[in-house]
Amino acid sequence: MKNKIKEIARRIEPELIKIRQELHRYPELGIELPKTHEIISRELHKIPGLEIYEHMAGGSGLVGILRGKCEKGKTILLRADIDALPVEELYDCSYKSEYPGRMHACGHDGHAAWLIGAAKILAELKEEWNGCIKFVFQPGEEIGLGAQTLIEEEHILENPNVDMAFAAHGWPSVISGQIGIARRYAFGCVGSFRVKITGKKGHASWPEETIDPISAANEIYQHMPSVLTRKISGTEPKVFSVTYMIAGNPKVRNVIPQSCEFGGTIRATNSKVLKQIGEELRKETEAVCHVAGAEYELEINTNGKSVENDSVLLEGVVKTSSEILGKENVYIIEKDHLGGENFAEYSSRVPSVYLFIGIKPKEEEIPGLHSPEYRFDDNVLAGAAATFALLGYNGCMGILKGED
């Protein structure tokens, strides 16, 4: 089967490159992606036997369902995110973004293209496998939307019930032609916070007559890292990062302001740790403001979920990927990753594995994700499509868990 899949992938490679580059020219944001939807829909309607559901996820989501020769096999979900970013593209290419201030700077155009490729491959071979495969094209990932709506309102994990799910990201630190797979956490739990401290403004020459909100904010900022090392085990991956602070007027330098606001992100692999970080921030803010005599507003979101790779599926996914790319080109990543991805909505409900597909040409350094100079290596599309196709086949046939 792997040879048939690889042969089809090589044949359709030019087509996948063309699709990817067309998607790249029309990057769209959020969940309403009319041009992106048009392109993907057009390609899906070319695939014989594919059931197509459109305008999903509260916007421009699409789901294609392909059924094998009989229904006794398993049901597999393969997902690609399809939205872009509000970034002005600086990388010059023939298919450069035609929308000012918007760019596929996270490679979702590539994700969509390789999933279309997997659907094309498996459709040609549908008489050789059993079960059902759902191809999910999800908008809104960059703003944390799409996945929950698809699952809770449109029930894509049901009818038939999904047994396992897979997704992948084009990864700039992994060499093209290789795949890295996290042993545990492909992505962490993502939380956020906003703190506004209100003091008493006054002349900077007489600080004793004021309540300085900047001083209180700085004390919280300085204390939090040490608080976390004492309250949470050092073996737990965690991040507390202040990403903005706003106070005062840069043109008025002799006034201590009335208020100071700061905020940022918190990350962990364990949702309990994420919530504990939020609680420690609440206690620290309350204590500092009490001593300073200041008032505060506090918003904390600790509802994020992690993308934890299923330990039972992991070995089968490594073997399957190796059948396409070779054993020397597939490896386990031992370090947990604290980025965020709402594929967590799927992985928290069904056994799942998330892959990092290399897009870095050998001997070449390329910009990271979300960079205005980000670029995607089209040479990886055929291999990625073939990998997804074989994951779908092996999953449906029970091979991933050794049930064949």
Side-chain angles (χ1 to χ4, degrees):
M1 178 55 64
K2 69 176 181 181
N3 291 331
K4 291 181 180 180
I5 287 175
K6 291 165 74 172
E7 180 183 347
I8 299 171
R10 283 191 294 268
R11 171 161 47 82
I12 66 173
E13 181 179 24
E15 187 179 352
L16 300 184
I17 292 173
K18 183 178 179 181
I19 294 168
R20 204 285 296 181
Q21 294 182 359
E22 183 180 9
L23 287 166
H24 189 87
R25 289 171 57 199
Y26 304 108
E28 296 170 305
L29 311 179
I31 60 172
E32 295 291 346
L33 321 172
K35 186 63 176 179
T36 304
H37 180 279
E38 175 190 322
I39 295 168
I40 296 173
S41 175
R42 180 194 71 208
E43 296 302 322
L44 294 182
H45 276 91
K46 295 177 183 178
I47 301 174
L50 187 68
E51 303 170 24
I52 302 168
Y53 301 86
E54 305 189 52
H55 303 292
M56 301 186 72
S60 298
L62 302 97
V63 175
I65 297 180
L66 194 62
R67 303 179 193 276
K69 63 181 179 181
C70 70
E71 296 183 2
K72 71 174 183 179
K74 295 186 179 298
T75 297
I76 311 303
L77 185 146
L78 305 176
R79 176 270 208 170
D81 38 13
I82 60 175
D83 55 326
L85 287 161
V87 173
E88 184 70 38
E89 183 165 17
L90 299 182
Y91 180 60
D92 194 20
C93 57
S94 61
Y95 48 89
K96 188 175 181 179
S97 170
E98 295 187 13
Y99 295 163
R102 299 181 182 184
M103 176 189 174
H104 270 296
C106 204
H108 295 185
D109 49 348
H111 303 175
W114 68 44
L115 191 58
I116 291 170
K120 289 178 179 287
I121 294 168
L122 288 165
E124 285 199 33
L125 301 170
K126 65 178 297 186
E127 294 303 315
E128 301 191 37
W129 52 273
N130 302 324
C132 175
I133 300 177
K134 299 181 180 183
F135 304 88
V136 177
F137 297 85
Q138 178 203 314
E141 188 279 329
E142 294 290 357
I143 56 173
L145 298 178
Q148 192 170 3
T149 301
L150 282 165
I151 294 168
E152 296 183 357
E153 297 181 22
E154 295 167 331
H155 308 290
I156 62 165
L157 297 182
E158 305 168 24
N159 303 314
N161 291 338
V162 170
D163 293 292
M164 59 193 80
F166 303 99
H169 206 300
W171 213 246
S173 61
V174 178
I175 295 173
S176 296
Q178 297 185 353
I179 290 178
I181 307 172
R183 183 175 297 281
R184 293 180 63 214
Y185 294 97
F187 291 95
C189 306
V190 178
S192 61
F193 63 91
R194 182 187 74 88
V195 183
K196 182 178 180 180
I197 298 175
T198 301
K200 179 183 177 183
K201 69 179 178 180
H203 200 289
S205 297
W206 297 284
E208 72 278 6
E209 297 180 2
T210 72
I211 297 175
D212 187 349
I214 297 177
S215 175
N218 182 60
E219 188 170 351
I220 296 167
Y221 174 63
Q222 294 288 345
H223 282 185
M224 275 302 294
S226 60
V227 168
L228 297 184
T229 62
R230 294 296 180 266
K231 298 291 187 178
I232 300 173
S233 170
T235 62
E236 288 284 356
K238 55 190 175 293
V239 168
F240 172 87
S241 293
V242 172
T243 56
Y244 77 91
M245 186 174 286
I246 304 170
N249 185 337
K251 295 182 179 180
V252 182
R253 304 190 181 185
N254 61 353
V255 174
I256 291 174
Q258 181 77 4
S259 64
C260 177
E261 179 176 318
F262 66 95
T265 188
I266 50 180
R267 307 285 174 102
T269 54
N270 187 318
S271 61
K272 291 182 180 179
V273 172
L274 189 75
K275 293 183 185 301
Q276 187 176 354
I277 295 172
E279 178 61 17
E280 295 301 334
L281 174 60
R282 185 194 64 76
K283 290 191 290 187
E284 181 68 14
T285 301
E286 182 179 11
V288 168
C289 288
H290 176 73
V291 172
E295 297 179 352
Y296 68 90
E297 298 174 14
L298 184 59
E299 295 176 3
I300 301 175
N301 174 15
T302 56
N303 294 322
K305 302 173 184 176
S306 62
V307 177
E308 183 176 6
N309 284 340
D310 184 79
S311 59
V312 176
L313 287 176
L314 190 62
E315 182 180 353
V317 173
V318 170
K319 288 181 178 178
T320 297
S321 302
S322 298
E323 287 188 68
I324 299 296
L325 300 181
K327 290 183 179 180
E328 70 280 8
N329 290 318
V330 181
Y331 60 93
I332 292 292
I333 300 171
E334 299 292 347
K335 185 178 180 180
D336 294 329
H337 188 276
L338 289 179
E341 231 282 13
N342 70 358
F343 184 70
E345 295 292 344
Y346 307 85
S347 66
S348 63
R349 293 170 168 87
V350 297
S352 302
V353 174
Y354 197 103
L355 299 81
F356 296 115
I357 294 178
I359 59 168
K360 176 185 178 295
K362 287 184 178 180
E363 310 302 328
E364 184 180 343
E365 293 299 321
I366 63 172
L369 301 176
H370 296 202
S371 166
E373 296 182 335
Y374 171 89
R375 52 191 182 270
F376 187 95
D377 184 359
D378 284 329
N379 294 314
V380 311
L381 286 172
T387 299
F388 266 96
L390 192 57
L391 283 172
Y393 173 86
N394 284 351
C396 281
M397 302 298 283
I399 295 172
L400 286 179
K401 289 188 175 181
E403 299 171 9
D404 57 322

